[in-house]
Amino acid sequence: PRTIDALSREAHLIRDRRELLERQHQVGRIYQDKLGDLDNAERWYRSALDHDPNYVPALDALRGIAERR
């Protein structure tokens, strides 16, 4: 959780769009893969899609979550 808190705070400071998308995806993966928290993972992936609706890693991750549910 400390790592997630740090990455989350850092994500709010990132100005570069590509870096922001990657960080949001990274936080989503941690929630999904390390913590098994699909709700928070989905929230972070959707946040990336708010910035770029065509961001493929987030779209793929959301599809994977939908298939698991």
Side-chain angles (χ1 to χ4, degrees):
R2 267 210 230 145
T3 301
I4 280 207
D5 290 342
L7 291 172
S8 298
R9 282 192 304 276
E10 187 178 298
H12 290 33
L13 301 174
I14 295 172
R15 298 285 180 233
D16 180 75
R17 186 172 142 284
R18 181 181 172 148
E19 186 179 345
L20 175 61
L21 293 171
E22 290 171 355
R23 183 57 43 86
Q24 290 171 320
H25 182 258
Q26 178 185 22
V27 173
R29 294 302 299 181
I30 292 170
Y31 272 114
Q32 182 177 352
D33 297 340
K34 304 280 186 210
L35 302 175
D37 184 342
L38 299 183
D39 291 333
N40 272 312
E42 181 177 350
R43 184 173 61 87
W44 279 92
Y45 297 142
R46 289 193 184 284
S47 182
L49 293 175
D50 286 343
H51 295 279
D52 181 353
N54 298 310
Y55 186 60
V56 174
L59 291 169
D60 288 345
L62 285 173
R63 184 173 50 247
I65 287 174
E67 290 172 355
R68 287 179 64 182
R69 288 186 170 164

